[in-house]
Amino acid sequence: MSGKSKPLSSCSCPELAAGQRVGAGGRGAAARLPQEESEAQGRGRRAHPSLGDPAIVKSPSDPKHYRYLMLQNGLCALLISDANNMDSVPSEESSEWEDNDETEIETDEDDDSGAEMDEDKENYEDDDNDGDDEEDPNNSDDMEMEELTEKEEAKKRSGTEKLSAAALCVAVGSFCDPEDLPGLAHFLEHMVFMGSLKYPDENGFDAFLKKHGGSDNASTDCERTVFHFDIQQKYFKEALDRWAQFFIHPLMIRDAIDREVEAVDSEYQLARPSDANRRELLLGSLARPGHPMKKFFWGNAETLKHEPKKSNTDIYTRLRDFWQHYYSAHYMNVVVQSKETLDTLEKWVKEIFSQIPNNGLPKPNFGHLTQPFDTPEFYKLYRVVPIRNVHSLSIAWGLPPQERHYRVKPLHYISWLVGHEGKGSVLSFLRKKFWALALYGGNGETGFEQNSTYSIFSISVTLTDEGYEHFYEVAHVVFQYLKMLQKRGPDKRIWEEIQKIEANEFYFQDQADPIDYVESLCENIHIFCKEDFLTGDQLLLEYKPEIIADVLNQLCPLRANLVLLSAASERKCHLTERWFGTQYSVEDIDKSWSDLWASDFQLNQDLHLPEENKYIATDFSLKASDWPDTEHPVKILSTHHGCVWYKKDNKFKIPKAYIRFHLISPLIQQSAKSVVLFETFVNILSHNLAEPAYEADVAQLEYKLVSGEHGLVIRVKGFNHKLPESKDFLNYVVLKLQFLPLPHPCPVQFRVVDLPNTHLLCKVKTLNRGDANSEVTVYYQSGARSLREYTLMELLVMHMEEPCFNFLRTKQTLGYHVYPTCRNTSGILGFSVTVTTQATKNNSEFVDKKIEEFLLYFEGKMRLLTEKAFRTQVSALIHIKECEDSYLGEEVDRNWNEIMTQQYLFDRLAHEVEALRSVTKSDLVDWFQAHRGKERKALSIHVVGFGKQEGDSDVQQSLLGEIYQLTFLPPSSYMKNTSYIRDIRNFTLMLNLLPYHKILK
């Protein structure tokens, strides 16, 4: 894979000279127009309240309007009017702050991924507040249900109605941390949100956002700190005012310091088990003395609490001094996006943000601290013990800062070639050697890899066991490829192909989540010139081969840093990094290899530039319709072999199409072995398809193979122009299904493609390595969807102990046992209340008792449910279900789910809305009481800790590569009348098969 860089620059916002007066900024103070706008232009713009800035280049498919201005206090603002996404533009008066009793639910969009929705987005919200200080305490039940409504709404986030959003970026980060207070910039990011002079409630802003379906977050990087939030549109102006007060007059009360230090320390503890964070901190420690990269940016209780107390440092005073020195308006820019007109947004921004003070001090500059990694310590081999069970080789170079070359993007051009996976690439060669699983090359967008003092270019190779044993050979292949690129020089054909591919992606991309969009643009304003705000991080804009060649020539072997991650190195790693506790060792590069790399070594004839990509679309016209418009998919072919459904896109009208296949086999759910073998089979198939399908994939003719519950799912999507080319790929898949050359791969290759299954093992193993994000998975697939579910332990034992390779070679049956219908087996229990708890040996009985208390509590809440709260919740659900599909992929996913489940109720949402309109509170209470009775079935799962804290002996430090054995504890006295499970497999076999439940009408 290639990585896209986000270079840094500062040619956008005109700066004020040190000490220059900008006038007093008060509420309602008039902000001067940008210098390039004349009086006549200003009059013309005011005549058209949505007239955008023509200098800002945007996609032709982007309906939003943009305007850029600088306020009187030096703060720069980008305004985004998304008025085209609603039926009518609201007037300024209708968007004022007054509240009403209506429940207005706003939603925003997800990425075009359907069932693959990203669940890793961070929304750190304060869950300790149920409301703000203006709420009526007598309406607690109603408020609780309203909060549930807002949370449900925020989770949905997939309708046509978007939330309004804003982001503010301060051009100051952890590089400015004082030497004696590591993490102070990060700590300030937390403290500024502890109430303001105008809104003193410490948690009032979070409560306000949660009440109105919003969220907020912030992050501190090396040279920037970013804050952002979103909220329902009708509350956007008030939210802006509340939010801006944190930068105008934050309270930062002394009493909150200890609490927020604990919050910072918690983030530090969560960051410790990340291999990426550990590598950054380790490499940062190799910088020259005096360079800010050597600092500890995270901060923790030691640096922000205990050490300051020992040295009698008043951290409160230092915190306020830091804020006054660095949180100045001329260091800041803000981006706002809402459905109001640009004139309305401009009025709000001037009125609210002109109050942020400007101290007139020059911005901090670290540009003189160049070449921080040109040290003997950097050019060595570091062996590191990782958290994850992985072998990985990372090769990195410290380069001069590349921010001024963002229009050329030399690092991105190089990363595209290095990360290529097609014929002639590094990864293709390493895969054939069975040495590598994946490769990533490029420059990330973090401040660690890209800042004003240097740029990092790194190549990371995920190794097999054999690749680990030959890691020097792997590095040599990488250096051979780079030498080939250096000798050939930049290739204009390749550059133009990359340019076309990324332009196609930019012009036809789905609209981003507003909060993500404004956050990205907020940083872009600090980086790019005005015309490139929207395109600077997306497109290749200028071809300058001399700039590319200059960077290429700096990627020589003897100036590289090598980091080898592997648990196999644990016995050799006797050094420990101070902050994250990373075990590592350092050694010189092996002399035989360093001598070879210092010479004019031979090129590898198997490594060459990619061939011309025939899958790049150039025709984006919409085809003439040859099919009548239909509201739902239509079955156009049905035989005993299968059926075909078709739905014409008559709503979004973009030149893209989606194709999905489901090849069904009854063999998959026969046993745990079949499940493991089928997933391994799909991994082998994907491995074989990686190279021939890569060119299509990068040109947005995308495919994916999924090991479904009952068969193989093939997903293809792309531009209409090149979609006919996908027949080559589909034919290839069908041929491989029938004639996959299983006798040819050796056991080494089987282990290579089988390695992805080890995620089953890692989910359990990483718990004892301090991975706070790990979890124990009870079922192989989430939820109890099928009678043939297998426990994680069964699959692990089958995967690790059975001779799967030999069995797979002789079991070539999938391709010959494909059936057109699913096997209707679903459901283990009837109605069940599943309570998953984590307990210790000493309090497991207490937890058992709590299960019954939980049910009684929930029953009590049902009885106390008011009619108003019930209708509020129902109204919210109706609103969510009435939201239209916001992009083509979402419509495809919804319809495909009906086909996959063989229910074909394509207007399901309309029926559900109809049912919700007729349901009553008594219906809900009666339903709950019916399933709360003596006949209910409840599954209680207790996860009991293991370790020194539990009194266990012989606790091993590392359990990677071993299989856990479940130890079944005796039942507690609170569970006398329950069925105690001692053998999970036997228990599931004894369960009755319930009929597969479908809702067909």
Side-chain angles (χ1 to χ4, degrees):
M1 291 179 61
S2 60
K4 179 176 289 189
S5 62
K6 176 178 276 192
L8 306 180
S9 182
S10 55
C11 59
S12 56
C13 189
E15 295 191 24
L16 300 171
Q20 179 179 345
R21 295 181 59 84
V22 293
R27 174 174 289 276
R32 58 192 172 104
L33 294 174
Q35 296 176 354
E36 63 270 19
E37 182 178 65
S38 67
E39 184 82 23
Q41 288 173 324
R43 287 195 300 269
R45 179 172 56 77
R46 288 190 291 272
H48 301 279
S50 290
L51 186 64
D53 192 332
I56 299 176
V57 178
K58 67 173 188 174
S59 166
S61 63
D62 185 354
K64 297 185 290 295
H65 299 286
Y66 300 83
R67 183 180 296 169
Y68 178 65
L69 64 150
M70 186 175 75
L71 305 188
Q72 194 174 24
N73 58 357
L75 180 144
C76 297
L78 180 64
L79 316 176
I80 308 173
S81 174
D82 201 11
N84 287 357
N85 278 291
M86 63 180 194
D87 295 333
S88 61
V89 179
S91 66
E92 180 181 332
E93 290 74 15
S94 68
S95 301
E96 290 296 333
W97 301 0
E98 54 267 6
D99 200 346
N100 56 44
D101 294 330
E102 294 183 11
T103 303
E104 179 170 324
I105 310 296
E106 301 275 351
T107 56
D108 60 292
E109 299 174 359
D110 265 311
D111 292 333
D112 183 7
S113 56
E116 302 173 283
M117 293 169 66
D118 182 8
E119 297 176 355
D120 294 329
K121 291 183 179 178
E122 297 179 340
N123 282 318
Y124 297 109
E125 298 182 352
D126 186 350
D127 293 326
D128 298 326
N129 245 288
D130 292 327
D132 58 26
D133 54 350
E134 299 174 352
E135 292 175 337
D136 184 357
N138 296 322
N139 294 328
S140 58
D141 287 333
D142 293 344
M143 289 190 299
E144 185 174 7
M145 292 305 296
E146 184 176 352
E147 184 176 358
L148 290 173
T149 299
E150 304 291 356
K151 287 183 177 180
E152 180 67 26
E153 165 210 336
K155 289 179 182 178
K156 176 65 178 176
R157 293 179 178 260
S158 59
T160 54
E161 297 178 86
K162 292 183 180 179
L163 299 180
S164 298
L168 185 144
C169 182
V170 188
V172 170
S174 297
F175 273 8
C176 292
D177 279 350
E179 292 291 341
D180 61 333
L181 284 175
L184 188 64
H186 183 202
F187 185 42
L188 178 59
E189 170 218 306
H190 283 249
M191 285 296 296
V192 292
F193 275 71
M194 296 291 101
S196 64
L197 184 65
K198 185 175 181 180
Y199 302 98
D201 184 6
E202 188 173 302
N203 297 301
F205 184 65
D206 281 341
F208 182 78
L209 292 180
K210 287 198 292 185
K211 181 180 178 182
H212 302 302
S215 63
D216 68 325
N217 204 348
S219 62
T220 304
D221 213 324
C222 294
E223 296 180 290
R224 290 190 295 273
T225 304
V226 180
F227 305 85
H228 51 86
F229 77 91
D230 60 4
I231 196 169
Q232 294 174 21
Q233 178 211 348
K234 66 184 294 186
Y235 306 104
F236 186 48
K237 185 180 181 183
E238 181 177 357
L240 277 176
D241 186 63
R242 287 173 173 265
W243 187 60
Q245 297 304 315
F246 297 131
F247 310 103
I248 297 169
H249 203 304
L251 290 183
M252 293 192 291
I253 56 177
R254 190 181 290 270
D255 291 344
I257 284 182
D258 284 347
R259 291 195 303 274
E260 286 309 302
V261 166
E262 294 304 318
V264 170
D265 191 73
S266 295
E267 291 187 14
Y268 157 72
Q269 298 295 343
L270 289 173
R272 291 191 69 194
S274 165
D275 286 327
N277 291 337
R278 289 171 168 240
R279 174 178 172 268
E280 285 188 4
L281 211 59
L282 180 60
L283 290 186
S285 69
L286 307 180
R288 291 179 183 274
H291 192 278
M293 188 49 69
K294 292 184 76 73
K295 297 178 181 180
F296 172 55
F297 297 152
W298 290 89
N300 60 13
E302 178 185 347
T303 66
L304 297 171
K305 182 178 181 180
H306 304 309
E307 290 298 326
K309 284 184 178 179
K310 291 179 183 179
S311 60
N312 293 320
T313 299
D314 186 353
I315 192 169
Y316 175 75
T317 301
R318 297 286 296 277
L319 191 72
R320 296 202 68 88
D321 290 345
F322 192 92
W323 176 81
Q324 290 175 353
H325 189 87
Y326 291 116
Y327 273 46
S328 177
H330 68 303
Y331 294 2
M332 300 179 181
N333 62 63
V334 67
V335 179
V336 296
Q337 175 175 326
S338 191
K339 296 177 181 178
E340 283 75 21
T341 65
L342 288 174
D343 281 359
T344 298
L345 293 176
E346 180 174 337
K347 178 183 177 183
W348 290 358
V349 166
K350 289 179 178 179
E351 175 185 337
I352 294 171
F353 290 92
S354 292
Q355 303 173 67
I356 298 178
N358 182 329
N359 60 24
L361 297 176
K363 293 182 182 179
N365 190 330
F366 301 92
H368 61 287
L369 301 174
T370 58
Q371 297 184 323
F373 295 115
D374 188 13
T375 64
E377 292 76 19
F378 186 78
Y379 307 129
K380 292 182 183 292
L381 168 65
Y382 288 79
R383 298 178 186 266
V384 176
V385 179
I387 295 295
R388 297 183 301 126
N389 184 18
V390 66
H391 301 306
S392 174
L393 174 65
S394 178
I395 308 172
W397 290 265
L399 304 171
Q402 298 295 311
E403 65 268 20
R404 63 188 181 278
H405 301 314
Y406 77 85
R407 294 181 65 86
V408 181
K409 294 185 177 62
L411 297 184
H412 183 49
Y413 170 87
I414 299 169
S415 71
W416 182 279
L417 293 172
V418 171
H420 202 273
E421 299 180 16
K423 187 177 180 181
S425 67
V426 173
L427 185 58
S428 173
F429 181 84
L430 294 178
R431 278 176 170 168
K432 290 172 182 175
K433 286 277 193 179
F434 311 127
W435 287 350
L437 294 168
L439 183 149
Y440 171 86
N443 175 275
E445 298 181 356
T446 66
F448 167 76
E449 294 199 4
Q450 186 81 293
N451 55 63
S452 64
T453 71
Y454 68 86
S455 295
I456 289 286
F457 186 83
S458 61
I459 299 171
S460 180
V461 185
T462 304
L463 304 171
T464 63
D465 291 342
E466 288 71 23
Y468 169 73
E469 297 297 332
H470 296 85
F471 75 89
Y472 270 122
E473 286 92 333
V474 171
H476 185 58
V477 173
V478 171
F479 296 148
Q480 285 179 311
Y481 190 84
L482 290 173
K483 186 175 181 180
M484 180 270 295
L485 294 181
Q486 292 163 354
K487 286 187 172 293
R488 290 188 59 98
D491 188 291
K492 190 171 184 180
R493 174 186 66 83
I494 298 291
W495 189 90
E496 290 176 343
E497 284 191 356
I498 302 172
Q499 184 187 48
K500 290 177 183 177
I501 288 171
E502 299 198 333
N504 291 348
E505 183 177 3
F506 174 71
Y507 293 144
F508 294 99
Q509 63 185 340
D510 297 311
Q511 293 190 41
D513 184 333
I515 195 169
D516 295 333
Y517 191 56
V518 295
E519 179 188 10
S520 175
L521 292 182
C522 197
E523 295 190 65
N524 286 2
I525 296 176
H526 278 297
I527 298 170
F528 310 127
C529 296
K530 183 169 75 170
E531 64 267 26
D532 300 329
F533 283 169
L534 312 184
T535 60
D537 61 341
Q538 301 288 324
L539 304 178
L540 297 181
L541 300 170
E542 294 178 357
Y543 178 63
K544 293 186 176 180
E546 68 279 4
I547 294 177
I548 299 173
D550 179 64
V551 176
L552 259 176
N553 292 331
Q554 297 183 60
L555 303 180
C556 57
L558 298 184
R559 298 185 63 83
N561 169 271
L562 273 61
V563 176
L564 182 64
L565 276 75
S566 176
S569 302
E570 189 166 5
R571 294 182 180 179
K572 301 178 182 179
C573 297
H574 304 298
L575 300 176
T576 303
E577 190 275 325
R578 175 184 177 185
W579 299 109
F580 280 13
T582 307
Q583 292 178 259
Y584 72 98
S585 66
V586 56
E587 60 192 78
D588 292 331
I589 303 295
D590 183 272
K591 190 174 186 306
S592 62
W593 286 104
S594 61
D595 289 345
L596 174 63
W597 295 336
S599 67
D600 186 17
F601 53 86
Q602 290 185 346
L603 296 180
N604 188 329
Q605 298 305 312
D606 292 324
L607 303 176
H608 54 78
L609 292 177
E611 298 173 355
E612 184 176 355
N613 192 329
K614 66 177 182 179
Y615 298 102
I616 301 175
T618 56
D619 180 5
F620 305 104
S621 60
L622 295 176
K623 306 301 180 185
S625 176
D626 59 354
W627 192 265
D629 290 348
T630 59
E631 186 177 359
H632 305 299
V634 177
K635 186 185 291 187
I636 60 175
L637 177 66
S638 181
T639 70
H640 66 282
H641 293 298
C643 58
V644 177
W645 295 81
Y646 174 73
K647 171 67 171 69
K648 175 190 170 186
D649 172 27
N650 48 22
K651 176 183 178 182
F652 300 97
K653 298 180 180 179
I654 58 174
K656 283 187 176 181
Y658 291 70
I659 303 175
R660 297 194 175 176
F661 300 87
H662 188 201
L663 307 180
I664 306 162
S665 172
L667 299 177
I668 298 168
Q669 293 292 330
Q670 286 184 348
S671 65
K673 178 182 289 185
S674 296
V675 173
V676 171
L677 291 176
F678 177 62
E679 182 169 331
T680 304
F681 173 85
V682 174
N683 285 331
I684 291 176
L685 188 57
S686 298
H687 180 80
N688 286 355
L689 289 171
E691 183 174 308
Y694 181 77
E695 295 286 1
D697 194 49
V698 297
Q700 289 107 56
L701 183 55
E702 302 170 24
Y703 80 95
K704 186 167 186 179
L705 303 181
V706 180
S707 53
E709 189 175 359
H710 298 289
L712 176 65
V713 177
I714 307 172
R715 294 200 284 252
V716 182
K717 71 173 182 178
F719 293 108
N720 295 341
H721 178 209
K722 293 296 181 177
L723 200 64
E725 304 288 348
S726 66
K727 68 179 184 296
D728 298 336
F729 160 72
L730 295 173
N731 289 335
Y732 191 91
V733 173
V734 173
L735 288 174
K736 289 295 183 182
L737 284 173
Q738 292 181 315
F739 307 110
L740 186 66
L742 291 177
H744 297 290
C746 64
V748 173
Q749 184 186 17
F750 178 78
R751 290 197 298 274
V752 168
V753 298
D754 198 36
L755 275 174
N757 282 312
T758 58
H759 72 277
L760 297 170
L761 185 65
C762 291
K763 282 186 178 179
V764 176
K765 295 303 172 64
T766 52
L767 287 176
N768 273 19
R769 298 191 61 82
D771 190 345
N773 296 319
S774 299
E775 60 181 347
V776 175
T777 303
V778 179
Y779 290 107
Y780 175 61
Q781 293 173 314
S782 59
R785 297 186 299 170
S786 161
L787 178 70
R788 294 294 186 181
E789 296 287 359
Y790 303 101
T791 67
L792 175 63
M793 206 54 56
E794 286 181 282
L795 293 169
L796 285 176
V797 172
M798 184 65 60
H799 175 70
M800 302 297 289
E801 296 182 354
E802 286 286 331
C804 292
F805 172 67
N806 292 331
F807 185 83
L808 185 62
R809 290 179 63 174
T810 59
K811 195 79 172 179
Q812 298 186 56
T813 55
L814 179 69
Y816 307 107
H817 292 77
V818 177
Y819 294 91
T821 58
C822 287
R823 185 180 178 189
N824 296 329
T825 57
S826 182
I828 291 182
L829 305 174
F831 177 82
S832 65
V833 177
T834 303
V835 182
T836 304
T837 62
Q838 181 168 341
T840 66
K841 295 182 179 67
N842 297 325
N843 69 358
S844 58
E845 293 188 358
F846 173 77
V847 174
D848 295 332
K849 186 177 180 180
K850 286 296 181 182
I851 295 173
E852 185 65 24
E853 292 178 2
F854 164 78
L855 293 174
L856 292 173
Y857 168 81
F858 198 78
E859 180 180 355
K861 298 300 289 184
M862 293 290 292
R863 292 181 181 277
L864 294 174
L865 180 67
T866 65
E867 186 66 33
K868 180 181 177 181
F870 172 79
R871 295 315 312 174
T872 298
Q873 183 73 354
V874 169
S875 297
L877 291 172
I878 289 175
H879 183 93
I880 290 171
K881 294 178 183 296
E882 286 183 332
C883 286
E884 298 181 3
D885 301 312
S886 54
Y887 49 88
L888 184 57
E890 188 175 47
E891 179 182 333
V892 171
D893 288 331
R894 181 173 54 79
N895 289 328
W896 177 246
N897 185 61
E898 295 296 328
I899 295 172
M900 284 284 287
T901 59
Q902 296 186 345
Q903 301 189 56
Y904 313 117
L905 197 63
F906 299 110
D907 57 348
R908 177 182 303 276
L909 293 177
H911 289 286
E912 290 178 352
V913 168
E914 183 180 354
L916 282 169
R917 294 190 190 281
S918 62
V919 73
T920 65
K921 173 192 166 185
S922 60
D923 292 335
L924 179 62
V925 174
D926 292 345
W927 177 88
F928 180 79
Q929 290 293 343
H931 295 93
R932 172 68 181 85
K934 296 181 180 179
E935 300 301 319
R936 78 176 190 275
K937 298 176 181 178
L939 175 65
S940 174
I941 303 171
H942 296 180
V943 181
V944 179
F946 176 81
K948 294 179 180 179
Q949 295 87 345
E950 300 290 339
D952 297 300
S953 58
D954 300 327
V955 178
Q956 296 173 288
Q957 295 298 316
S958 176
L959 295 175
L960 291 173
E962 301 175 10
I963 297 177
Y964 278 95
Q965 297 296 327
L966 290 178
T967 301
F968 291 88
L969 302 177
S972 70
S973 59
Y974 288 96
M975 305 183 71
K976 295 179 180 178
N977 299 321
T978 61
S979 298
Y980 181 61
I981 303 173
R982 294 183 180 274
D983 188 310
I984 296 176
R985 180 63 180 153
N986 288 338
F987 170 74
T988 58
L989 290 175
M990 290 188 300
L991 294 173
N992 294 325
L993 177 63
L994 299 179
Y996 182 72
H997 183 66
K998 293 184 179 181
I999 300 177
L1000 300 178
K1001 62 179 180 178

